[in-house]
Amino acid sequence: MSALAFSKRLARLPRAASGPLFHPTPGNAIPCWARASSNGLGPQLHTKKRGYEITRNPHLNKGMAFSLEERLQLGIHGLLPPCFLTQDVQVLRVLKSYETKTNDLDKYIILMTLQDRNEKLFYRVLTSNIERFMPIIYTPTVGLACQQYGLAFRRPRGLFITIHDKGHIATMLNSWPEEDIKAIVVTDGERILGLGDLGSYGMGIPVGKLALYTACGGVKPQHCLPVLLDVGTDNETLLNDPLYIGLKHKRIRGQAYDELVDEFMQAVTDRYGMNCLIQFEDFANSNAFRLLNKYRNKYLSFNDDIQGTASVAVAGILAALRMTKNRLSDHTFVFQGAGEAAMGIAHLIVMAMEKDGTPRQEAVKKIWMVDSKGLIVKGRSHLTHEKQMIAQDHPPIKSLEEVVQKVKPTALIGVAAIGGAFTEQILKDMASFNKHPIIFALSNPTSKSECTAEQCYRLTDGRGIFASGSPFDPVTLADGRTFVPGQGNNAYVFPGVALGAIACGVRHINDDIFLISAEVIAETVTEKHLAEGRMYPPLSTIRDVSFKIATRIVEYAYKNNLAAWYPEPKDKEAFLHAQMYSSDYDSFAFDSYEWPKDAMEIQKV
């Protein structure tokens, strides 16, 4: 969308009297958290900072949106051009600059630089068209940004904690300027998307995730902290790169690693409280399950790669049931991949089947997984505990293609980051077994997708039910039918889960919360969306989806005695609205007033 087209769009959006733009929700309802004060600005804000420091603080800086009165009172008059802009016009200026960039990495840098300079404008730009900007600030572009993170690094956006800081993490947390942290996303950089070990370059993931906490869920950015645990890297290319900005040695594992993570978890809760949410992100399989099981009942924590991916995948499957016209237990699932994402999805599918009345033992028989050694079957050596739980009683099979031919699944789910794994023959076979084969190519980034949307729709004659981890453009078949593929993005899940958990002080995040989230997402998919081929609501509605998830989680938490904050709010939607972030500018004008004239008379002797 060009800046001119966007300006026309701004003009059509609902406004307060003489106030800034609002972002419409379905039905043009305006969420409370987007409303401005009567003077067209956000609430009045008091700060003791003055002068040049104001313009260098992204939380306070409004650029040329500062009024003359504010410039004079804050001591910044003369530091800005003699021009006064509304936030709407500032958005257009950003778009104009953004549109000069043809490279997605350059677009990413433009937006991240804006976040460093003017935080509220950054979030206003994102929320003005979340569908357009999400692929830039998150997958797939964030993968490229992580690979180039050393060159793109401009200023601190999180904490880098290294193995050499063991014993001093509590002191390091004091370096972060914000004191009221309620959400942390932490990674050790070992399994970044489908790109592998990127070491300290993995910091781009926590930064991107937390930006979506705010843009999609309304979690206040000053309550968020990105963390990178640098224990080294096994990536030889990085170790041999003189410009690499992380620790240049092999990964530290074993007891020293565990002690570092233990200390980190304890230090975080000592400083920020037991209600600080800790999201594990992009840890390798060897640590992901282990750390989740170790901490899930001790701290307010979850693993998005396992639980978030599971929730969004099951949401798509639940929506697909409205097209296949049967029950979840009628389906058989084959997974390409048996890592944390696959295990998380399988576990939640079994939970959903149990909730629907299927015995657990029967539900597990519906799950078939293929890893690098072939079909996971009973009796195979060196199976992890997780793989033993889903191993089937069947002769060994080496290839995915043969597994599909023998098992004849109704659903095929790709989470192994093997680009093109769903071959032409596999897709044709799936179409021959099923009226509506479910094909979920969930690996990221786009280059790792198991198949494209076009391949799925073309090779299944438009009967395939497709979803992907990275976005794909609409597909028009030779007969004129057009399909809009849905993106199974975890961003449908984690912002709402975070908002709900933080708002009511959930003590622990159990798997019921992720099944609830999946059900809410599936409920928001309309018949019109299904007819278009979407298994997920449009990304443009993601803030509304996040709010509905958060509301349902708050209701669940109080009903099941999981909430810490009492008394229980009667109006839970209003309760959530009151805690959500607004990208409207605050007013820095002093509260100026006068006393009655006789009260101000100067006394004379």
Side-chain angles (χ1 to χ4, degrees):
M1 183 187 296
S2 68
L4 178 60
F6 192 83
S7 66
K8 293 179 179 177
R9 179 183 173 186
L10 290 179
R12 293 195 300 269
L13 294 181
R15 298 170 179 268
S18 69
L21 79 95
F22 298 121
H23 309 303
T25 57
N28 283 330
I30 300 172
C32 298
W33 58 279
R35 292 178 190 157
S37 60
S38 59
N39 64 358
L41 294 171
Q44 193 172 65
L45 185 69
H46 175 72
T47 178
K48 294 182 179 179
K49 292 182 170 60
R50 291 291 182 272
Y52 195 70
E53 189 177 3
I54 292 280
T55 64
R56 287 296 180 268
N57 187 318
H59 304 309
L60 302 176
N61 184 32
K62 300 197 294 185
M64 285 181 279
F66 282 112
S67 68
L68 179 60
E69 180 184 12
E70 289 173 322
R71 297 182 192 198
L72 290 169
Q73 292 176 349
L74 295 172
I76 59 174
H77 188 44
L79 298 180
L80 298 167
C83 179
F84 305 92
L85 305 178
T86 65
Q87 195 177 52
D88 294 0
V89 174
Q90 288 182 305
V91 169
L92 294 178
R93 288 172 60 88
V94 172
L95 286 177
K96 191 73 173 175
S97 175
Y98 181 89
E99 288 165 359
T100 65
K101 307 299 181 184
T102 57
N103 179 286
D104 283 348
L105 182 59
D106 290 339
K107 292 177 179 179
Y108 172 88
I109 292 173
I110 281 273
L111 292 176
M112 292 300 105
T113 303
L114 176 62
Q115 186 182 23
D116 289 340
R117 188 174 71 248
N118 184 334
E119 190 172 73
K120 283 186 176 285
L121 183 57
F122 169 74
Y123 286 110
R124 178 54 61 94
V125 169
L126 291 195
T127 54
S128 69
N129 193 339
I130 194 72
E131 202 161 8
R132 178 185 187 185
F133 295 114
M134 186 183 289
I136 301 299
I137 64 165
Y138 198 54
T139 182
T141 306
V142 72
L144 176 61
C146 285
Q147 290 175 305
Q148 303 292 326
Y149 200 78
L151 300 177
F153 182 81
R154 296 291 186 274
R155 56 176 288 172
R157 291 198 196 97
L159 276 181
F160 291 85
I161 297 173
T162 76
I163 191 70
H164 306 311
D165 299 310
K166 193 154 65 78
H168 306 281
I169 295 178
T171 303
M172 292 192 69
L173 291 177
N174 293 329
S175 300
W176 192 248
E178 302 293 339
E179 302 204 0
D180 188 18
I181 298 300
K182 296 183 178 179
I184 290 174
V185 175
V186 57
T187 185
D188 68 355
E190 189 171 6
R191 193 202 63 81
I192 298 300
L193 300 175
L195 302 171
D197 188 348
L198 296 184
S200 68
Y201 287 178
M203 177 59 96
I205 296 296
V207 170
K209 286 274 186 180
L210 288 170
L212 296 182
Y213 267 46
T214 301
C216 301
V219 178
K220 295 176 181 177
Q222 63 267 33
H223 292 164
C224 299
L225 172 60
V227 174
L228 187 287
L229 300 179
D230 191 345
V231 297
T233 178
D234 291 337
N235 186 324
E236 291 293 340
T237 301
L238 296 181
L239 291 174
N240 295 323
D241 183 355
L243 300 181
Y244 176 58
I245 62 174
L247 294 183
K248 293 186 178 180
H249 58 66
K250 292 284 189 178
R251 282 189 171 271
I252 303 297
R253 303 186 186 275
Q255 183 178 346
Y257 177 92
D258 288 351
E259 288 174 353
L260 178 76
V261 181
D262 281 342
E263 183 186 346
F264 168 73
M265 299 295 284
Q266 188 63 51
V268 164
T269 51
D270 285 347
R271 179 163 175 78
Y272 304 123
M274 292 300 295
N275 292 108
C276 180
L277 173 66
I278 303 170
Q279 174 183 326
F280 291 97
E281 189 69 29
D282 286 351
F283 284 75
N285 292 347
S286 58
N287 289 319
F289 289 108
R290 191 172 60 83
L291 295 178
L292 175 62
N293 293 329
K294 182 177 183 179
Y295 297 124
R296 66 190 306 168
N297 295 319
K298 186 177 180 182
Y299 298 100
L300 181 63
S301 61
F302 72 97
N303 184 304
D304 186 56
D305 303 301
I306 299 172
Q307 296 162 291
T309 301
S311 184
V312 77
V314 170
I317 292 166
L318 293 177
L321 295 181
R322 287 154 58 188
M323 294 188 68
T324 59
K325 308 295 183 185
N326 53 12
R327 298 173 60 192
L328 185 61
S329 56
D330 294 326
H331 288 267
T332 301
F333 299 86
V334 166
F335 288 79
Q336 167 64 25
E340 51 202 84
M343 292 298 175
I345 297 168
H347 173 69
L348 208 61
I349 289 174
V350 170
M351 273 187 66
M353 286 188 185
E354 287 185 285
K355 187 175 180 179
D356 195 38
T358 303
R360 181 175 182 81
Q361 189 174 1
E362 292 301 312
V364 171
K365 291 179 180 178
K366 301 286 186 178
I367 306 295
W368 300 72
M369 286 192 184
V370 178
D371 63 9
S372 59
K373 297 179 181 178
L375 182 65
I376 297 176
V377 295
K378 294 183 185 298
R380 203 178 90 179
S381 61
H382 306 298
L383 290 179
T384 63
H385 172 72
E386 288 78 21
K387 290 182 180 181
Q388 288 174 8
M389 299 297 289
I390 52 85
Q392 297 292 350
D393 189 4
H394 193 280
I397 302 177
K398 284 294 184 183
S399 71
L400 175 65
E401 187 172 307
E402 189 178 353
V403 170
V404 169
Q405 290 170 351
K406 291 284 179 66
V407 176
K408 293 181 170 54
T410 58
L412 189 59
I413 300 176
V415 282
I418 301 175
F422 296 170
T423 63
E424 180 174 335
Q425 185 60 52
I426 287 174
L427 293 173
K428 286 182 175 179
D429 285 343
M430 287 294 292
S432 70
F433 308 146
N434 305 284
K435 181 180 179 181
H436 290 293
I438 298 172
I439 309 292
F440 281 13
L442 299 180
S443 293
N444 285 313
T446 310
S447 61
K448 301 290 185 179
S449 186
E450 287 77 12
C451 70
T452 66
E454 187 274 336
Q455 289 168 336
C456 174
Y457 292 127
R458 176 172 53 82
L459 295 171
T460 63
D461 298 320
R463 293 183 286 113
I465 298 174
F466 179 80
S468 59
S470 290
F472 282 100
D473 292 330
V475 175
T476 301
L477 298 181
D479 60 10
R481 287 179 296 164
T482 297
F483 297 93
V484 182
Q487 183 187 358
N489 196 317
N490 290 20
Y492 283 112
V493 177
F494 62 79
V497 169
L499 175 62
I502 292 168
C504 65
V506 169
R507 294 186 179 92
H508 301 292
I509 296 180
N510 57 35
D511 288 329
D512 286 339
I513 284 178
F514 291 99
L515 186 54
I516 289 169
S517 300
E519 292 168 347
V520 171
I521 296 167
E523 289 166 8
T524 63
V525 179
T526 67
E527 292 301 320
K528 180 177 181 292
H529 297 151
L530 293 175
E532 293 173 341
R534 296 180 187 266
M535 294 302 108
Y536 298 96
L539 279 174
S540 58
T541 67
I542 196 167
R543 286 175 293 151
D544 301 288
V545 175
S546 297
F547 184 77
K548 289 175 182 176
I549 289 172
T551 303
R552 193 78 65 86
I553 288 172
V554 170
E555 291 170 351
Y556 169 83
Y558 280 106
K559 181 179 179 180
N560 293 276
N561 298 316
L562 293 175
W565 309 135
Y566 284 88
E568 179 181 347
K570 293 181 179 179
D571 187 339
K572 293 176 176 58
E573 290 191 0
F575 170 71
L576 283 168
H577 280 318
Q579 301 186 53
M580 295 174 75
Y581 178 72
S582 171
S583 59
D584 293 329
Y585 282 140
D586 298 305
S587 171
F588 291 93
F590 292 173
D591 185 10
S592 180
Y593 59 96
E594 291 187 354
W595 287 5
K597 213 168 188 180
D598 57 346
M600 294 191 298
E601 284 187 7
I602 299 175
Q603 294 186 13
K604 299 178 181 178
V605 178

